[in-house]
Amino acid sequence: MSEQSDLFSAPAPAAPAAVASKVEALRAQLNRWAHEYYVQDAPSVPDAEYDRVFQQLQALEGAYPGLVTPDSPTQRVIGAVMEGLASVRHAVPMLSIQTETDTEASGAEGFDARVRRELGLSEADPAVEYVAEPKFDGLAMSLRYEGGRLVQAATRGDGEVGEDVTHNIRTIRQIPLVLPAGVPPVLEVRGEVYMRRADFERLNERQREKGDKTFVNPRNAAAGAVRQLDSAITAQRPLSFFAYGLGEVTAADQGGPDFGTHYALLQQLKTWGFPVAPQVSIAQGASELVAFHQRLGAERDRLPYDIDGVVYKVNRLDLQRQLGFKTREPRWAVAHKYPAQEMLTRCEAIDVQVGRTGKLTPVARLAPVFVGGVTVTNATLHNLFEIRKKGVRVGDQVIVRRAGDVIPEVVGCVPAAADAAGRALPRSPYVANFRMPRACPVCGSSVVREAGEMNHRCTGGLFCPAQRKQAVLHFAQRRALDIEGLGEKLVDQLVDSGRITALPDLYRLTLADLAGLDRMGEKSAQNLLDALQQSRRTTLARFLYGLGIRHVGEATAKDLARHFGSLDALMDAGLQELLQVADVGPIVAESIHRFFAQPHNREVVQALRAAGLSWEEGAPTEAAAQPLAGKTVVLTGTLPTLSRDAAKELLEAAGAKVSGSVSKKTDYVVAGAEAGSKLAKAQELGVPVLDEAGMQALLRGEG
Ligand code: IVH
């Protein structure tokens, strides 16, 4: 250093002792969180909270550079190799990306300005071309192919050394195990393993039903699945993959490819069979980066997977090389964030809501918090057992997640106070644990929880106002009483205005009642009355299904109607008699019995009859009278409207046996789109093949 600069640069200020100990405390905190996140796959705070503390530490270190140590969380890529999985040294390090936390347009503009400056471009020069991609919220993966075969899959770890998870990655169907001829002899494809939201919701639903631990978010579920020692467990947790770059590749001068641009490289990966996100776009200059950020931000909720931002990359690979790296981050790329989908806030109260099937859902009332782009004040806690497992109590800080169209939920809890070692301090003994009410908070009916069930339910049925709207909609649907024109908006108005308090009120509606409603002309009012009139003549099966008795679906309703022949016979049936019905087990029998034991449900039924609802009643029928009794049916392919389960249920309710394979004994094969070998076999054996419409005709006895 010259004398001159000594004179002009101020010496770094010595840090006060209080700052030094604060810095130490922040590091300890961040290290603990990082360990929970990377090693245990069980973070206790949302990312946004980690980022906030990280930035606090960065700011203090910036002000007092003398405090920076090489092992500070700000100085390295965090991650650790878990015991039990082998270590893999990456041939080319897996870098991290500089993150722009400014979620406004300025975030993209700042990046473009830096790139232009570093490339020595002036204002007169044309716009820099970028590739803009979603920033997937999963975990980074390096897939190594040698001679076109997948030989190794490794996590990022600390960027230099990751974990060998090849056995687990092989379970991901989207990842090709063998590549087409002509790929470079050595090819490392880098990308993100993630879990789609729908898959995540289903997985958590399963976990909740079993009373098992639920996952905080799709990323944690994915990370946990990837790092399993037992790949059978991974296989049960549906994972997906998007490719976004390369690691080691056979060099161009050794016969490897020269892609020219990042975009061309992604297109090539696509033709080799790797999934590349359809949103990936080319953007010219800052303005198109901003437009991409906004466009994807507007789409974010509707995407099938979580993203926490977008990534911009300079498109030309020669310019990328020219820009190079700064420690562990390339200068040619940046991640531009969106508002966080998980935030910390205070749980101010826990209320109970009654849903459409009478399920009681505890709901946390929250101090308002901006999460996933909206202000949230309520979040579901799912059920009593979830609350207990998460240890949530009124007054706690809770982690709220809002992603996509899924309703906001409390996914975790941060104990209000912790000691120096991070151990939770005992909470106020004055805050009681949450309890489920014994009576429905809306109608006062008793609350029950069936053995083995996680959910509490109101037994009020049609009598409970909270269940009424849903009950009316269910009653009116096509497969029940088929009341055309009675949709959600109308039902809301009818129930909210008090015109309907129970199903029988529907049949007392007059033109005058309807005229006063929003967007209801005289013509549509008359149409609705006509539809109501038509619905008076129905079938016992439709009527039973329309009542919305828990566990009584369309098929069971048909079974019941057939078995008992008359409504009175069914209403007076004891449990033993109900169990005689084909496909009615103890749970269904119990539910039917309990429904008709409630006096108000009987009243509703009588009132509907009094309002003129009628159907043909008959003598109880024997199973042999079922249209498909004794027939064997095989389902194959995807049907246009029915799920495989629904089709099976309908067939079985009609007396058919649904089998998995086609033989000479098969009576019918019902084939949908992409039917494969079973269809071929049926044709070979001359077994009649039906489509969904044909199957429906068969079910109606028109076969
Ligand atoms: S490129 C040199 N592209 O973000 C750049 N990363 O800190 C290497 N990520 O853990 C990464 N979406 O797993 C890149 N479209 C995308 C990405 C992406 C998500 C993750 C990546 C890594 C982190 C970068």
Side-chain angles (χ1 to χ4, degrees), residues 284-362:
Q284 311 290 344
S287 64
E288 291 193 13
L289 293 181
V290 171
F292 181 85
H293 187 255
Q294 287 171 352
R295 186 152 40 86
L296 205 63
E299 244 183 83
R300 184 186 186 194
D301 274 0
R302 277 171 282 132
L303 292 177
Y305 45 84
D306 279 3
I307 60 172
D308 57 352
V310 294
V311 178
Y312 309 134
K313 298 171 183 172
V314 170
N315 193 22
R316 273 171 52 185
L317 300 182
D318 60 330
L319 293 184
Q320 287 190 4
R321 282 189 286 274
Q322 193 182 325
L323 285 160
F325 300 87
K326 188 175 76 186
T327 52
R328 320 292 284 263
E329 295 166 352
R331 286 202 189 83
W332 44 264
V334 78
H336 190 192
K337 295 277 242 183
Y338 287 126
Q341 287 178 320
E342 283 173 21
M343 292 295 280
L344 265 187
T345 190
R346 205 179 108 93
C347 171
E348 313 215 294
I350 300 177
D351 291 346
V352 171
Q353 263 175 13
V354 185
R356 57 187 174 137
T357 55
K359 174 177 182 300
L360 266 59
T361 304

Side-chain angles (χ1 to χ4, degrees), residues 94-99 133-141 156 190-193 243-245 262 280 308-311 313 325 328-330 332-333 335:
M94 291 182 78
L95 300 163
S96 82
I97 269 193
Q98 193 194 333
T99 302
E133 307 174 2
K135 185 171 191 295
F136 314 106
D137 204 3
L139 70 157
M141 190 61 54
R156 174 159 149 232
R190 300 227 164 130
E192 198 89 347
V193 170
Y244 56 60
H262 178 70
V280 171
D308 57 352
V310 294
V311 178
K313 298 171 183 172
F325 300 87
R328 320 292 284 263
E329 295 166 352
W332 44 264

Side-chain angles (χ1 to χ4, degrees), residues 468-538:
R468 233 170 256 160
K469 286 182 186 174
Q470 257 348 100
V472 172
L473 284 168
H474 178 83
F475 186 76
Q477 67 168 291
R478 196 174 46 77
R479 293 184 297 153
L481 277 286
D482 193 16
I483 308 172
E484 216 185 305
L486 193 59
E488 205 165 325
K489 292 223 169 67
L490 193 52
V491 171
D492 277 352
Q493 289 188 68
L494 289 169
V495 173
D496 291 343
S497 66
R499 285 175 173 87
I500 287 187
T501 58
L503 290 176
D505 296 337
L506 277 173
Y507 293 95
R508 294 189 201 108
L509 288 172
T510 63
L511 218 46
D513 288 332
L514 295 173
L517 300 175
D518 256 11
R519 276 185 295 181
M520 177 61 75
E522 196 173 318
K523 179 105 197 307
S524 30
Q526 189 55 54
N527 285 345
L528 180 62
L529 292 182
D530 292 346
L532 279 161
Q533 175 56 27
Q534 264 187 24
S535 74
R536 282 186 161 95
R537 186 71 194 157
T538 184

